[in-house]
């Protein structure tokens, strides 16, 4: 579920490759990378984290689940419902994709269209997203 993103690397990069998704205010919504970044406080029963894509020459594929970065898990906290490491869904709009490899950047845009089944205004969706990001940020502050 989400957006499948394809990109081409002419040669194997010398270091990490990142694919950043930015909103219309130029905030990083999500960062996908070629290396594993295990969140601090990950639950013991979780799957071993995997890189979002490979840093190899040729065609690469990444999947963005249309969500913001999630919160850092609070050490030894009990989670009754939900997954704080899963960020809030983005609102419909235009997003910038920025691929960073070997010190070079390439950008393009992506339009997220509204789900026709959702009968909420853009303003309501944005208000919900603002609140969800504030909650995520509060959890991050507690966890650090």
């Amino acid at each position: 579920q989400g957006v499948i993103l394809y990109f081409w690397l002419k040669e194997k990069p010398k270091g990490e490759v990142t694919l950043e998704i930015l909103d219309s205010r130029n905030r990083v919504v999500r960062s996908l990378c070629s290396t594993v970044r295990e969140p601090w406080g990950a639950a013991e029963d979780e799957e071993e984290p995997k890189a979002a894509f490979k840093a190899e020459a040729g065609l690469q594929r990444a999947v963005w689940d249309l969500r913001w970065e999630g919160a850092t898990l609070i050490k030894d906290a009990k989670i009754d419902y939900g997954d704080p490491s899963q960020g809030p869904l983005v609102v419909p709009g235009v997003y910038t994709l920025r691929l960073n490899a070997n010190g070079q950047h390439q950008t393009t845009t992506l339009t997220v269209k509204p789900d026709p089944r959702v009968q909420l205004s853009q303003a309501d969706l944005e208000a919900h997203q603002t609140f969800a990001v504030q909650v995520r940020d509060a959890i991050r502050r507690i966890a650090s």
Side-chain angles (χ1 to χ4, degrees):
Q1 227 179 37
V3 178
I4 300 173
L5 307 164
Y6 290 97
F7 58 93
W8 176 267
L9 297 173
K10 185 175 180 179
E11 55 191 38
K12 181 177 175 65
K14 293 182 176 83
E16 181 181 68
V17 177
T18 61
L19 179 60
E20 296 173 311
I21 297 104
L22 298 101
D23 68 5
S24 60
R25 294 183 358 198
N26 220 25
R27 298 178 295 179
V28 175
V29 171
R30 191 73 177 268
S31 183
L32 306 174
C33 67
S34 62
T35 58
V36 176
R37 293 182 182 173
E38 185 172 354
W40 178 83
E44 290 179 14
D45 60 343
E46 286 184 6
E47 286 184 23
E48 191 169 319
K50 297 177 185 171
F53 52 85
K54 295 178 183 178
E56 299 288 336
L59 184 66
Q60 301 302 322
R61 175 182 185 256
V63 178
W64 174 38
D65 60 2
L66 298 175
R67 291 185 175 277
W68 284 74
E69 294 283 350
T72 304
L73 299 179
I74 300 169
K75 187 176 173 122
D76 298 326
K78 181 179 179 186
I79 300 172
D80 289 331
Y81 181 75
D83 181 0
S85 65
Q86 186 178 45
L89 284 169
V90 298
V91 297
V94 177
Y95 293 83
T96 299
L97 305 176
R98 182 170 57 201
L99 180 66
N100 307 299
N102 287 335
Q104 297 181 352
H105 312 291
Q106 293 291 322
T107 62
T108 190
T109 58
L110 167 78
T111 301
V112 174
K113 296 187 176 184
D115 183 337
R117 300 168 296 179
V118 176
Q119 300 301 311
L120 294 173
S121 69
Q122 183 73 14
D124 286 343
L125 291 170
E126 289 173 4
H128 177 268
Q129 177 182 266
T130 298
F131 176 72
V133 169
Q134 288 171 344
V135 169
R136 181 214 52 195
D137 292 345
I139 294 170
R140 283 181 170 177
R141 283 191 299 277
I142 292 168
S144 61

